[in-house]
Amino acid sequence: MKLVLVLSLVVATCLGSTVRQQRRFPDDFIFGAATSAYQIEGAWDEDGKGENIFDYENHNFPEIIVDGSNGDIAADSYHNYKRDVEMLRELGVDAYRFSISWARILPTGFDDEVNPAGIAYYNNLINELLKYNIAPLVTIYHWDLPKTLQDLGGILNPEFTDWFEDYARVVFENFGDRVKKFLTFNEPREICIVTLMDTGSDVKDKINSKAVTTYSCAKHLVVAHAKAYRLYDQEFRAKQGGECGITISVPWYEAGTDNPEDEVAAELTRQGEWGLFAHPIFSAEGGFPKKFGEALIEKNASLVLADFTEEEKAFVKGTADFFGVNHYTALLVYANKKEIESSMPSVLDELDILMEPGENWPVSASSSLTLAPDSIFKALSHLRTLYNDPVFYITENGWPTDSGLDIIDNDRVRYYRASMESLLNCLDAGIRLKGYMAWSLMDNFEWTAGYTQRYGIYHVDFSDPARTRTPKKSAFVYKHIIKHRYVDYEYEPDMIMTIDEGH
């Protein structure tokens, strides 16, 4: 009897493991990879491209970059886009998310001067993708504002909303006949908090209150998004047949205990980190989340925060066909335990909130990112409930390692497999998740970390003028998941990457 019982437990365990490993992604689930213009293109001043804020910052304030580097050449995708597409073919992806460099197609920032060479570059890339049935997913703005516009006040200038609408029109007119999914902005939080405040320029010297500046930036950005969306909806959708959304960074913030104060702190953190940008677009009532603004004013009664008029609320509300989510990490949140000033600028600095990783959560050696249990599912479940079940795409998700030839990147493989399980949990729960973009297709210029931090599933040799790309173990594992539509924990690649012409 004991022998039978033991055998039964072994069989049950094996069957349970098989079921977990072979939960399948639907055939129409979109797998892809993502990059951004400044991080990979290089050719910073070639063929008529204008100067953007990162060209200026990294040339004039190299000390803000860990290794003093810049994106002047980066992965040189401007000259190697065909190899990039070949890599996508090797992986067997369905889509490629990339961004347009505003200054490459509009060198002055304004639409009265369109650069033919810039338009040609993106046309060539889009056509090369479509040649192999890879759908382009285009981000209109991924942080790299033309310097000319920053000199006029950038996003803090109310006229930014019109500048962006004019730029979006050029993008839709030139690429919308072939691009069927657009994202207006990448990560508004990082634009309005990190990029705006953590800079080597004199911009930070003009900031008196992070809350006041963040609210002003958030309002202008969200209205600019809405103008671009309304433009697409009214003038381009009927003839082009595409969709338009926005990508917001959504870490998962979970109460550190079941104490009601920690629950409140976690919700305030969610509102302050991404609700400022998601709520005006996706919530039923529109406008900024009320509880967060009230908490800020309670701490500082002199604050005068930007708000939306009722007309503006109506204009912005509902302006997204899908919700793009960049998700990397999670943290536990505690109330009234803040001991030191955060090194990352945040509107939350004005509240007494502490965030830290959970015990035994793996933490990246090269950053503060955590591998937290089922965090994609937790984040999307919360968003689904809060915003009436929108369609989601995971538009970025990845794991960093230190620089070097990290071809056998087992930590990244572990992270991606955990992410896939969380995606499957979302699908099992009926969350309307339609696709996933791995960050990043290749190693790139990782902002203030320069080239000391690598997210690529393809290694780039930045010491080689040819910028040779080599697939890492994670590329093989991702390819296997895409091809077979499930997560196989026993799969060990032979590390020879070829193109599957049958895909």
Side-chain angles (χ1 to χ4, degrees), residues 22-36:
Q22 295 192 354
R23 288 190 298 167
R24 294 184 59 83
F25 288 93
D27 290 341
D28 61 354
F29 188 86
I30 296 171
F31 283 107
T35 60
S36 86

Side-chain angles (χ1 to χ4, degrees), residues 255-257 259-266 268-269 295 298-299 332-340 348-356:
T257 72
N259 186 313
E261 290 186 352
D262 290 343
E263 295 285 356
V264 170
L268 288 177
T269 302
E298 184 178 343
K299 294 289 291 185
L332 298 179
V333 180
Y334 302 90
N336 302 317
K337 291 186 178 180
K338 190 166 185 180
E339 298 174 358
I340 58 173
L348 292 166
D349 289 348
E350 302 191 26
L351 299 177
D352 294 326
I353 290 174
L354 173 69
M355 293 179 280
E356 61 185 19

Side-chain angles (χ1 to χ4, degrees), residues 3 9 13 23 78-79 87 118 139 156 194 196 208 216 258 269 283 286 306 311 334 399 410 413 420 456:
L3 179 60
L9 287 172
T13 300
R23 288 190 298 167
Y78 189 76
H79 299 108
M87 289 149 55
T139 307
L156 295 180
V194 179
L196 192 63
N208 298 316
S216 295
D258 57 5
T269 302
S283 70
E311 183 180 11
Y334 302 90
W399 187 257
N410 287 317
V413 168
M420 294 299 133

